[in-house]
Amino acid sequence: MGIISKDIQKAVELLTNEQLVAIPTETVYGLAGNIFSEKAIKCIFSTKQRPFFNPLIVHIASLASLNDIVTHIPKKAKLLAAAFWPGSMTLVLKKDKRIPDIITAGKDTVAVRIPNHPVTLELLKQLPFPLAAPSANPFGSISPTKPTHVENYFKNDIKMVLEGGSCASGIESTIIGFENEEPVIYRLGALPLEDIEAVVGKVLIKNKKEENPDAPGMLARHYAPKTNTFLVTDVASEVEKYSEKKIGVLIFKSSLNNKNITEIVLSKEGSLQEAASKLYDAMHELDTKNLDIIIAERFSEFGLGKSINDRLQRATFK
Ligand code: TXA
Ligand code: MG
């Protein structure tokens, strides 16, 4: 029997018994455990083979529980929370002493978000504790946007993937921290920069690992297929260069109409939202086709295109 199930009650039971459950969110699937169970949290790190220095995001059902988790909410954090929660935004705030150090890798801040997915909101409402949930993939590999992605990764390690369909956003949440009360973007993501700036004005971006000791998870190589992947502006001429190889192509809207390649067009209509939602599934799929290389098209640095480029860059970094 498979591990994918719609049974929220079963998820409640497993989580209450300090077990892990993979949960759907609108960004990507998470590998969830009770934040107060040391056993569950250690299991998250070991299952993902994630280093302990990389802190986890705490997921809550409503703003009412935020005060149990953090000690201070800057004014602009309140504005952002009111505008975008539930949604694809994570805030990094000063942590309350109740939050175990293992969740935050010993930092005095905690990452928190209210996800926008009906199944997981219902689950969180039924639980008397918040859920820590990193993306449900082995450390460094492509994040899961469908239940089957998680099943393929972890069918021998966890008892349940809570079914919630394909993730609507398809890339991870945008992470925002605060320095001297001012918002700073630690990770570009599913909530576009322009939307954030419309609420709080210009924000600083510290998305690169080199600039950003505060988000140790932002490794240069991450979200990576096993197949050697390149990020280019002119896909057609790159395909010509490698004509003797088995090539996979990940392209935004216009097909190359080349029968010799395995191509995935992310959005025929040219919708960035659709492209983001299909990005990881396309990477998962191309990665199963025994290709020599994957050539991905660089997006325009606008809206979600900026976040998609960030992920493609990390997928192709050598
Ligand atoms: O969309 C998402 O955010 C998904 C879903 C499941 O919610 N979760 C996710 O978690 O992407 P994860 O663990 O793959 O990425 C969490 C990122 C890491 O880069 C980590 O370093 C950063 O959040 N992070 C966590 N706590 C932090 C903190 N206190 N300060 C700075 N960065 C933090
Ligand atoms: Mg991750």
Side-chain angles (χ1 to χ4, degrees):
M1 209 183 71
I3 58 170
I4 300 170
S5 157
K6 288 196 165 133
D7 189 347
I8 295 186
Q9 279 326 308
K10 186 175 159 202
V12 168
E13 249 167 63
L14 286 167
L15 289 162
T16 306
N17 290 324
E18 303 186 271
Q19 311 255 334
L20 306 187
V21 173
I23 56 166
T25 83
E26 80 283 25
T27 59
V28 300
Y29 275 74
L31 186 62
N34 175 357
I35 65 163
F36 299 116
S37 160
E38 193 179 319
K39 180 180 161 203
I41 301 308
K42 282 191 168 155
C43 194
I44 290 179
F45 282 96
S46 63
T47 304
K48 271 185 68 92
Q49 296 176 301
R50 178 180 176 117
F52 281 106
F53 64 73
N54 196 358
L56 304 176
I57 298 177
V58 172
H59 294 69
I60 56 176
S62 73
L63 267 179
S65 23
L66 188 61
N67 283 322
D68 301 337
I69 296 187
V70 306
T71 56
H72 172 63
I73 310 173
K75 206 166 140 205
K76 288 188 177 174
K78 286 186 186 144
L79 290 174
L80 288 167
F84 300 120
W85 276 349
S88 324
M89 173 186 74
T90 296
L91 296 179
V92 175
L93 301 169
K94 285 275 176 271
K95 88 175 190 83
D96 188 275
K97 56 180 180 314
R98 268 176 285 211
I99 304 297
D101 286 335
I102 188 171
I103 300 283
T104 63
K107 295 156 82 59
D108 64 354
T109 53
V110 59
V112 56
R113 88 176 181 103
I114 305 177
N116 189 15
H117 192 292
V119 172
T120 286
L121 283 173
E122 180 54 36
L123 172 68
L124 285 167
K125 276 185 203 136
Q126 292 194 28
L127 292 168
F129 48 79
L131 293 175
S135 52
N137 51 281
F139 187 63
S141 47
I142 309 165
S143 297
T145 53
K146 289 181 172 175
T148 48
H149 296 158
V150 186
E151 186 178 43
N152 291 339
Y153 281 141
F154 294 132
K155 57 177 166 298
N156 300 322
D157 308 303
I158 62 173
K159 294 211 172 75
M160 179 176 177
V161 180
L162 182 57
E163 164 74 78
S166 293
C167 301
S169 296
I171 55 177
E172 297 79 358
S173 62
T174 303
I175 302 182
I176 307 175
F178 292 83
E179 297 179 7
N180 302 317
E181 301 286 295
E182 288 300 314
V184 175
I185 295 199
Y186 290 153
R187 177 175 74 184
L188 293 166
L191 181 64
L193 176 65
E194 290 85 345
D195 294 20
I196 294 161
E197 292 190 328
V199 174
V200 292
K202 201 89 195 132
V203 296
L204 201 66
I205 303 179
K206 290 192 178 176
N207 186 53
K208 294 258 158 55
K209 165 140 169 74
E210 309 68 271
E211 301 161 14
N212 186 18
D214 280 325
M218 295 312 296
L219 300 179
R221 182 173 170 80
H222 211 120
Y223 316 106
K226 294 192 190 79
T227 315
N228 201 1
T229 304
F230 299 91
L231 177 59
V232 304
T233 308
D234 183 351
V235 182
S237 66
E238 204 69 15
V239 165
E240 262 174 51
K241 266 197 230 165
Y242 293 98
S243 54
E244 79 289 359
K245 291 201 186 288
K246 278 191 279 172
I247 304 176
V249 161
L250 204 55
I251 202 157
F252 181 23
K253 48 190 170 187
S254 323
S255 170
L256 294 181
N257 290 316
N258 178 339
K259 281 204 275 322
N260 301 319
I261 61 172
T262 306
E263 179 192 66
I264 297 181
V265 178
L266 289 170
S267 172
K268 288 198 178 74
E269 283 83 50
S271 150
L272 287 169
Q273 174 54 57
E274 186 185 11
S277 73
K278 292 192 174 156
L279 180 70
Y280 288 153
D281 186 47
M283 292 209 257
H284 277 282
E285 191 178 329
L286 289 178
D287 219 12
T288 63
K289 305 243 178 223
N290 274 316
L291 300 163
D292 297 320
I293 53 168
I294 297 170
I295 299 171
E297 181 178 29
R298 189 184 294 280
F299 281 63
S300 302
E301 283 281 312
F302 163 79
L304 281 176
K306 210 176 170 65
S307 307
I308 293 172
N309 280 341
D310 173 78
R311 298 303 188 271
L312 287 172
Q313 238 142 32
R314 290 177 207 279
T316 55
F317 189 86
K318 307 208 169 59

